[in-house]
Amino acid sequence: MQSIHIAASTEYDVIIGSGVLNLLGSKITELGKIQKVMLVSDDTVFGLYGDKISSIIKNEGFDLSCYVFAHGEKSKNLTTYGELLEKMSEFHMTRSDIVVALGGGVVGDLSGFAAATYQRGIRFVQIPTTLLAAVDASVGGKTAVDLNSGKNQVGCFHQPSLVLCDIDTLKTLPIEEYKCGCAEVIKYAMIGSKDFYDELLSKPIVEQYEYVISVCVDMKRQYVLDDEFDNGSRMMLNFGHTFGHAVEQCSGYSVLHGLAVSIGMVIITKSAEKRNICKEGTCEKLLQLLNKYDMPTQTQFTSSELVKPAMIDKKASGKKVNLIVPKEVGECVIMKVDSFELESWIIDGK
Ligand code: NAD
Ligand code: GLY
C-alpha cells in the first residue's frame, strides 16, 4: 500500500493498493462530524461495487443515500448535476456531510462539482475505478460538467478530502478503458521521466498497477503543488490533449478520450521533431511504447477538420494557444503558438 499526501489548499491523502476499500469506513470516520453519505456512481460501477461500498458505509453507522446514473460521458451534464443536487437536498445533507464518488472520471468530475457547489461547498471522497481516474482525474481537484458547446465548460477547483484507489477494482475494467488509462500513464513518462518510460516498456502496466499509479500520482502531486489553479506548469499535463481533443470532437466522441490522446501525442511529437524542437528519434520511441500497448497512433481526419476544434480548445488564450511540446522522452516545454499557426503543426505531425 502507498499513501501520497497532497498539500493543496485542502490537504488529503491518496491511498493506493490492493484491498484498500476496506479502509473506507474508518477513513470517513476520521474525516469527522459526518452523519450522512451520498454515494454517487454510474450504473455499471454500482452494479459491480455498489453493494460492497454501501455495506461498508452503513456498517460504520452513517446514513446512506445512493444516486446512480447511466454510464458514459453523455451523463456528465447539467441535468444529471441538477438531479444529484436535488437528491442531496431531499436527503437533508448539511455542510458537514459528504459525497463519495465511486467510478471513473465522469462520476468523479460530476460528484466533485456537485459537492463543490451544494450549500457553497461540502467535502467529497474519490474512489477511482478506472486507470485514467486513478492516475489523473481523481487527484488535483478539477471538477466539471459538459455543456452542449463542449467538455468541462462549467466547473471549478474543489479538492477531495480523500482518494482511495483500490487496484482490485481495475480487474473488471474493459480493455479499451484500460488502454485509455495507459495513454495517460505514457503521457506522464513523456513529460517527466525517461526511467519511467523504460519501466513501462519493460513491464506491462497491468502487472505493476500499484507502482505505476503511485508514480503518476506523485508526479501529479508536484504539478498541483506548484500550480493548483492551472495557470502555468500544470498545463504540462495537457501533453497530447490539444490535438487529442480535436480527434475526440471530430469523431463525435466515438474515439475514446485516452485513445485520442495517444494520437494527439504522436501529432505533436512528430511535428516538434520536424521543427527541430525535439531530439531526433523521440517520436519513434513514443510509437514504440504506444505500439506495445496496442494504441491508435493515426487519424483519418484532415488537418483542416482538426484545426477547428483545436482552436476552440479551452487552452486557447486570446489569439495564442498553449502547446505542450516534447524536447525528448521525459521533457516537455510549454509554447505559446499563434492560433493561425496551429494547422501547420497538425500538417507536420500527420
Ligand atoms: P468513465 O468515468 O466514463 O469510465 C469509463 C467506463 O468504464 C464507463 O462506462 C464506466 O462505467 C466503466 N467503468 C468504470 N470503472 C469500471 C470498472 N472498475 N470495471 C468495469 N467498468 C468500469 O471515464 P474515465 O475514462 O474514467 O474518465 C473520463 C472523464 O474524466 C472525462 O469526462 C474527462 O473529462 C474526465 N477527466 C477529468 C480529469 C480531472 O482532472 N478532473 C482528468 C482527466 C479526465
Ligand atoms: N488532467 C489535467 C489536470 O488535472 O490538470
Side-chain angles (χ1 to χ4, degrees):
M1 185 180 94
Q2 303 287 323
S3 181
I4 297 172
H5 186 70
I6 313 285
S9 49
T10 297
E11 300 202 12
Y12 54 100
D13 291 327
V14 181
I15 299 171
I16 303 151
S18 166
V20 300
L21 275 184
N22 295 318
L23 301 173
L24 179 65
S26 60
K27 287 287 171 191
I28 294 179
T29 298
E30 277 173 29
L31 294 176
K33 292 188 189 161
I34 294 160
Q35 262 193 348
K36 296 183 183 197
V37 176
M38 174 63 72
L39 177 62
V40 183
S41 196
D42 71 32
D43 51 356
T44 304
V45 179
F46 194 83
L48 290 163
Y49 305 106
D51 286 347
K52 176 174 175 158
I53 301 293
S54 299
S55 303
I56 291 174
I57 293 169
K58 283 193 277 193
N59 290 342
E60 193 72 15
F62 298 111
D63 296 338
L64 175 73
S65 179
C66 299
Y67 178 73
V68 179
F69 60 86
H71 65 276
E73 186 72 29
K74 281 202 171 78
S75 290
K76 203 176 113 177
N77 60 34
L78 289 171
T79 307
T80 319
Y81 164 71
E83 269 179 25
L84 170 55
L85 289 176
E86 291 294 351
K87 181 107 185 167
M88 289 162 72
S89 180
E90 282 161 23
F91 188 38
H92 304 295
M93 292 181 80
T94 69
R95 297 198 66 206
S96 57
D97 294 324
I98 60 158
V99 171
V100 172
L102 170 70
V106 166
V107 174
D109 279 14
L110 176 91
S111 311
F113 187 46
T117 46
Y118 181 75
Q119 296 183 352
R120 299 197 181 85
I122 67 170
R123 294 168 294 174
F124 81 117
V125 170
Q126 290 266 22
I127 304 179
T129 63
T130 63
L131 180 57
L132 183 143
V135 298
D136 191 357
S138 64
V139 180
K142 281 189 181 176
T143 76
V145 295
D146 304 336
L147 296 181
N148 293 334
S149 59
K151 278 182 65 164
N152 301 325
Q153 290 298 300
V154 54
C156 63
F157 289 92
H158 185 58
Q159 300 292 340
S161 296
L162 169 73
V163 181
L164 216 47
C165 175
D166 192 326
I167 59 170
D168 295 345
T169 63
L170 303 180
K171 286 178 188 157
T172 52
L173 209 53
I175 181 73
E176 292 301 290
E177 299 299 341
Y178 167 67
K179 284 196 209 172
C180 284
C182 291
E184 300 288 352
V185 172
I186 291 168
K187 172 193 82 179
Y188 281 101
M190 291 300 294
I191 63 175
S193 171
K194 168 79 171 70
D195 290 347
F196 192 40
Y197 169 94
D198 291 337
E199 285 163 343
L200 300 178
L201 200 58
S202 61
K203 191 171 174 189
I205 292 168
V206 66
E207 290 173 21
Q208 46 173 347
Y209 269 147
E210 184 174 315
Y211 174 71
V212 165
I213 295 167
S214 303
V215 170
C216 296
V217 169
D218 196 48
M219 283 175 72
K220 184 150 186 184
R221 179 190 64 78
Q222 197 56 54
Y223 286 112
V224 171
L225 215 66
D226 291 345
D227 177 27
E228 180 172 347
F229 299 104
D230 204 18
N231 296 309
S233 60
R234 184 168 175 174
M235 283 188 241
M236 212 65 102
L237 294 167
N238 291 327
F239 173 57
H241 282 58
T242 299
F243 300 137
H245 280 157
V247 171
E248 210 180 347
Q249 211 157 320
C250 282
S251 76
Y253 296 96
S254 63
V255 177
L256 293 176
H257 175 75
L259 306 185
V261 167
S262 168
I263 296 164
M265 289 192 288
V266 175
I267 295 176
I268 190 69
T269 306
K270 202 167 168 185
S271 194
E273 205 168 316
K274 254 196 192 153
R275 287 159 189 257
N276 295 319
I277 299 167
C278 174
K279 196 167 152 185
E280 208 183 316
T282 306
C283 194
E284 200 183 315
K285 283 190 176 151
L286 172 63
L287 286 168
Q288 191 187 357
L289 190 53
L290 292 173
N291 288 334
K292 185 179 163 76
Y293 288 93
D294 196 22
M295 306 287 294
T297 55
Q298 285 179 330
T299 174
Q300 84 277 17
F301 297 113
T302 63
S303 55
S304 60
E305 285 171 317
L306 290 170
V307 75
K308 289 181 203 110
M311 275 171 79
I312 57 163
D313 188 87
K314 66 182 185 307
K315 286 173 288 301
S317 73
K319 286 185 177 149
K320 300 272 188 186
V321 178
N322 290 306
L323 279 185
I324 313 307
V325 183
K327 292 191 81 176
E328 60 180 309
V329 171
E331 190 186 348
C332 286
V333 287
I334 302 172
M335 286 182 71
K336 271 202 186 305
V337 172
D338 280 316
S339 52
F340 65 79
E341 281 180 55
L342 269 186
E343 191 167 355
S344 68
W345 280 80
I346 302 172
I347 291 168
D348 284 353
K350 268 180 64 78

